[in-house]
Amino acid sequence: MTSIYRDKNFLSGAAIFILSIFLYKGSEAIPATEKLLLMRASFFPLVISIGLFICGVTLLTLPFIRKKVDLLSLPGGKDMLVLLIFIAFIYLYIYTMEFLGFILGTLLYLLLSMLLLCVKNKIQGLLLALGVTVVIYFIFVTFLKVPFPAGLLGF
Amino acid sequence: MLEHLVAAAGSVFSPLGLLLMFLGSLIGTIVGALPGLTATMAVAILLPITFGVPVDLAIMLMLGIYCGAMNGGTVSAVLVNVPGTPAAIMTGLDGYAMAQRGEGGKAIGIAAIGSFYGGIFSNIILIIFAPILAAVALKFAAPEYFALAFFGLVSIATSTTKSPVKGAVSVFLGLLISVIGLDPVTGVDRFSFDNPEMMSGLNFVPVMIGLYGLGEVLMQVHQSEYGRKITQQIKGLLPTWQELKGLHGIFLRSSVIGTIIGALPGEGATIAAFMAYTDARQNSKHPEKFGTGVIEGVASCETANNAVTGGSLIPTLTLGIPGSGTMAVMMGAFMMHNVIPGPMLFKEQPELVYSIFMSLAVNNVFMLIIGLAGARVFARMISIPMNMLLPIITALCIVGSFAVTNTYFSVLTMIVFGILGYLMRVFEFPTAPMVIGVVLGPLAEVSLRRSLLMSHGSLAIFFTRPGSLAIFLLTAIYFSWPFLKRLLARKPDEVVA
């Protein structure tokens, strides 16, 4: 029965259960400006927390009732690493955009991510990354006037 | 009325209007054709490009993307049996078999014609019924709106997944997001953690881009599907006149099915396609041939899944209740442009309503032209490997969410919800109920509290007013219908036994 702790319903149920407790406590902390509970700002969040609590408990008990385990499957070692690096690249892209600027940052992000995901035709990847960067720049900066950081290139 | 029609026609048939609709249909078809990218994702990630254009033109563009994406899913379903959108799953059954016989072009042609038929049919129904429903809805007060929101939320929670509990969790999470910020009734701060950007509530565009865009990208990286490369050649697009004549009955029946399914909350294009396919097979003279590459199979599901477009706009436009995740995103797009769907829209902005009706028809024409003329190009486009597309989609998600408020907070919100969307996919939670929860949350909360204030805290108000009672009864019938149907189908002696 140790595999129960890797059951999708059990794990998600536990997370929902904990969230509902925090939400209930948080709802109680909302200042009460009205006498009637129904009219207070905390009323709807309380209803949501109770709903989540019931759902969380149901999901927690589901594998025991069904006597069947629905195991959580996560990507293996290398695939998990790729996924984590992919997310890290997103963070790096945003973090360095102020310094690198939109054009350089986007181009670098696209190229690095494509390399991470093992693009075979590197020339095609480079051309696509360049084209996409220019198109996005044209639509958002030239047409929609979105003020992306200029960075190193100065535009 | 005439002056509103003329004004609407002026904006729909203006060069810019036509150009934007054409571009919308083209972009939508391209995105829809790419395996794994859904119509909802297309609308969500492309929503920011509408910020710079006037509201009527922005909506025309979004409708173009929506219609195009619904049709675009066919290309990869037919050519490689990898549906571009979930709505095209059924199309692959016969479409792919036709493609293997070298008739892929014909399957795509029939799909485009069927989609056009379904789209125009549902548009006519929308034009006839939407104003009537909106006139009825004008008489609604808070209890009726709560009943409607309740119907929308519960139906989406139960119909989008095998597990109603997971659907309910998704709805509650959406409602939780909707309560962040200042309370609309008392003005008290809720869960904003003193962050000024959260006090006015979380902007739902980055939320939707994260859930549908980044969430799906991360899931595809998780499944290591990024190395997939697809190639196919197509030839001969148009079916013969005789073949088209023989499909008329299927086109009509599938259009009716698609429009009705689209108008029901919680149901969507995938279910419509499945039901139309089943109907076509049941009424066929050669049902055993379905699945082996018959044109009736392709025609039925493609007509139905596109008929959903007009049908699903009926509750969205008239009641402000989106029936599906895609419609919730569309409604979000409307609201971003300060257009609040609901009965008042028909009263206060009739020109906009007429331009929506007209642009849906024009978009269907563009969809047909693009679907037929561009099929060979789209066949080449689906050969772009996912490992090139996924970083591009991610960059679009980031840029698009930044453009919403020009702050990194929106990008951060998008990433948080992208990761949440990914986790929801891993744990098999549906995302559509969450988006509908976000969109309907304020309506549900405010109308519930106003109703209870009207009745001094008594829930009886929902059952003593004819309007809300009727909606709650409809809700009860809607949910008990599968059980009632089973009960009615039993023979009398079985019931006694």
Side-chain angles (χ1 to χ4, degrees), chain B residues 165-497:
Chain B
V165 184
K166 288 186 174 177
V169 168
S170 189
V171 162
F172 283 124
L173 290 177
L175 292 175
L176 175 59
I177 295 158
S178 78
V179 300
I180 293 172
L182 298 180
D183 173 35
V185 179
T186 59
V188 172
D189 180 30
R190 300 185 293 193
F191 310 122
S192 71
F193 306 104
D194 295 326
N195 183 334
E197 295 192 80
M198 286 171 77
M199 279 187 182
S200 54
L202 279 184
N203 191 308
F204 47 69
V205 178
V207 172
M208 288 189 281
I209 295 176
L211 280 173
Y212 283 109
L214 188 61
E216 185 57 44
V217 167
L218 294 178
M219 192 62 198
Q220 296 213 14
V221 176
H222 167 132
Q223 290 168 333
S224 312
E225 285 185 353
Y226 44 80
R228 193 172 60 202
K229 190 174 176 175
I230 297 158
T231 44
Q232 261 280 9
Q233 295 284 319
I234 57 167
K235 54 186 177 191
L237 281 163
L238 288 174
T240 63
W241 177 245
Q242 212 56 28
E243 282 171 328
L244 275 181
K245 233 171 111 179
L247 289 173
H248 182 71
I250 287 178
F251 282 149
L252 187 64
R253 283 202 313 275
S254 305
S255 296
V256 174
I257 291 171
T259 309
I260 294 171
I261 296 288
L264 292 175
E267 310 297 341
T270 314
I271 301 202
F274 175 77
M275 285 183 71
Y277 187 84
T278 311
D279 169 77
R281 192 171 52 190
Q282 278 171 354
N283 290 297
S284 170
K285 286 174 191 160
H286 46 80
E288 73 287 349
K289 286 188 181 169
F290 273 67
T292 62
V294 287
I295 53 174
E296 292 90 335
V298 177
S300 58
C301 32
E302 281 302 311
T303 308
N305 74 26
N306 216 51
V308 165
T309 53
S312 59
L313 274 169
I314 297 174
T316 310
L317 285 179
T318 58
L319 307 171
I321 307 288
S324 64
T326 318
M327 270 301 117
V329 176
M330 281 295 286
M331 195 164 143
F334 286 17
M335 287 153 89
M336 272 306 296
H337 289 277
N338 295 320
V339 175
I340 311 296
M344 291 308 283
L345 185 69
F346 286 72
K347 203 176 173 187
E348 290 169 355
Q349 292 173 282
E351 281 170 31
L352 188 65
V353 174
Y354 288 122
S355 70
I356 290 171
F357 292 164
M358 279 186 213
S359 65
L360 196 60
V362 176
N363 273 316
N364 274 295
V365 175
F366 281 140
M367 186 195 67
L368 177 68
I369 296 167
I370 291 166
L372 291 175
R376 285 183 182 83
V377 182
F378 302 135
R380 284 183 68 86
M381 292 209 76
I382 60 168
S383 69
I384 298 174
M386 290 307 278
N387 49 14
M388 287 189 188
L389 283 175
L390 296 179
I392 294 170
I393 297 164
T394 310
L396 270 174
C397 291
I398 293 166
V399 170
S401 47
F402 181 87
V404 178
T405 55
N406 295 342
T407 61
Y408 286 105
F409 183 76
S410 290
V411 182
L412 197 67
T413 307
M414 187 280 293
I415 293 172
V416 168
F417 281 93
I419 293 170
L420 181 64
Y422 160 68
L423 289 174
M424 286 175 79
R425 282 168 176 85
V426 170
F427 284 92
E428 294 172 354
F429 282 79
T431 47
M434 187 169 168
V435 175
I436 295 203
V438 175
V439 172
L440 285 184
L443 176 75
E445 181 182 13
V446 172
S447 52
L448 172 66
R449 284 162 72 185
R450 277 196 191 142
S451 306
L452 293 174
L453 190 69
M454 281 161 72
S455 66
H456 304 288
S458 167
L459 286 169
I461 190 167
F462 297 113
F463 308 103
T464 50
R465 289 174 62 96
S468 53
L469 178 67
I471 298 165
F472 275 119
L473 279 176
L474 271 175
T475 312
I477 294 167
Y478 182 75
F479 289 109
S480 53
W481 182 244
F483 308 104
L484 285 175
K485 213 169 122 184
R486 225 176 296 160
L487 204 69
L488 291 170
R490 276 190 202 171
K491 287 173 188 165
D493 54 327
E494 273 181 290
V495 178
V496 174

Side-chain angles (χ1 to χ4, degrees), chain A residues 3 13 20-21 29 81-82 113 152:
Chain A
S3 56
S20 72
I21 302 289
L81 194 66
V82 169
S113 300
L152 286 175

